[in-house]
Amino acid sequence: MRTILSLSLLLIVTIASAQPRGAFEGRYYQIDTTAIEGDVDINIDVATFFRNNEYFSAYVEGYTLPGYTLQPTLVYFPTKNSNVEAGLRLRQYGGDDDKLSVFPIVRAQLLFTPRARLTIGMLDGYASHDLPESIIDIEKELNGRPETGIQFVYSNDRLWLDTWIDWQKFIYHGDTVPERFMAGIGVNYAILTNEKRLRLELPFRMTANHVGGQINNYVEPMQSLLNGVLGVRLKRQPNTLVKVWQCDIREQFFHVAAGKSVYPAADGSAFNAELMAQTSHVEATIGYFRGNNFFAMHGNPTYMCISNFKEYYSKERSIVTGELNVNYRASDAFRFYIGGKAYYDTEAKQCDYYYGLGIVFDATKNIYRRK
């Protein structure tokens, strides 16, 4: 009880977490079903952020991310159910005046039906996959490259399906670096949904990280790393001050499917439970994570059983988490967030946390409509 109270006090005092997942959802241009053949839109996406990672454990070092991303794109509609988008994503960190990261943005989307969409090029991004933080760290929205590859999304009243492949490193014949890509599939199937706004879902996730290639001269052995999630999600949306109650219980695993393991173990597992309450502007979550030889290549290093910066390994991890986020949406295009998250390692008696804030602006305007 003392641990939980201390964790809650820390969250209230710092108003800790930068970049809650909701700050990034819906930022990717979707097909405008009211558009007609020949229409042209301009989309401007600006994300300014400050995130301070106060990490003190043996698994990850602390650091700060102040900066912005700017993504202007033009969107053309060859037909009413398809579009082609092109532009740039610029990213710069505060104080890093000599380095500006520039990523070309090109993608094409086809709407087979109002519920089924195919994307080739830039994908919807890390937050859209609805993966636990232990599998994909939400911070990659700030310091990762845009996901590029192929993605198919389908949703109806009971089923949500997201399948994708993100090509992270292309190689030429004879290259001395490995080919890298990440593929994944996510499914949510509702086995119960009723008029009382109660929903029971069975989420399933599987990701594969491949490092290797056939045409390069990379001397290390090829590796394929798998992560999976199987869980239960209970969601209730009462018509009260608390708009959403959600409970997630997940079993996760790690497995080296091909190649020799460079980690202390070739297999691992984790149990994770979270309870979330959400009002119009505030989201609070408490959780528990217990890992056994667990590892995920793109997950938050705080959850791993192996350090990402020094030779340190612990077979078991036991972490209590608490998160508090405030999201204020001034308009459909403009929103502000502030908040944070704390991770209390019950074995090491160590608390890591991060806090921050940001402003997101994402607007689309039609600049040409064929009459």
Side-chain angles (χ1 to χ4, degrees), residues 178-200:
E179 172 184 82
R180 293 177 180 268
F181 65 81
M182 183 178 185
I185 182 171
V187 177
N188 282 356
Y189 182 73
I191 61 175
L192 172 65
T193 176
N194 60 29
E195 66 280 358
K196 295 182 180 180
R197 308 182 77 182
L198 185 67
R199 187 176 180 90
L200 180 62

Side-chain angles (χ1 to χ4, degrees), residues 31 49 69 92 101 126 139 156 174 180 191 233 249 251 276 284 289 305 327 345 362:
I31 294 180
F49 54 85
T69 62
Q92 190 170 38
S101 299
Y126 303 99
E139 188 180 285
N156 60 29
R180 293 177 180 268
I191 61 175
R233 173 177 291 173
I249 299 176
E251 278 289 340
M276 183 269 288
F289 177 92
C305 288
N327 292 282
D345 189 323
D362 182 24

Side-chain angles (χ1 to χ4, degrees), residues 5 25 78 81 85 114 151 198 210 221 238 257 264 314 329 338 342 344 358:
L5 289 174
E25 290 175 340
N81 63 340
E85 184 178 4
Q151 183 177 34
L198 185 67
H210 177 78
S314 176
R329 184 180 289 272
I338 184 172
Y344 183 78

Side-chain angles (χ1 to χ4, degrees), residues 224-239:
S224 292
L225 310 178
L226 300 181
N227 286 104
V229 181
L230 184 63
V232 176
R233 173 177 291 173
L234 181 62
K235 187 174 184 178
R236 186 167 183 267
Q237 296 176 283
N239 190 19

Side-chain angles (χ1 to χ4, degrees), residues 328-341:
Y328 174 70
R329 184 180 289 272
S331 68
D332 289 341
F334 187 90
R335 50 197 183 273
F336 164 79
Y337 60 86
I338 184 172
K341 188 168 185 176

Side-chain angles (χ1 to χ4, degrees), residues 36-52:
I36 61 175
E37 181 180 339
D39 280 6
V40 179
D41 289 353
I42 184 170
N43 180 256
I44 304 293
D45 182 291
V46 180
T48 57
F49 54 85
F50 175 84
R51 171 168 170 146
N52 186 28

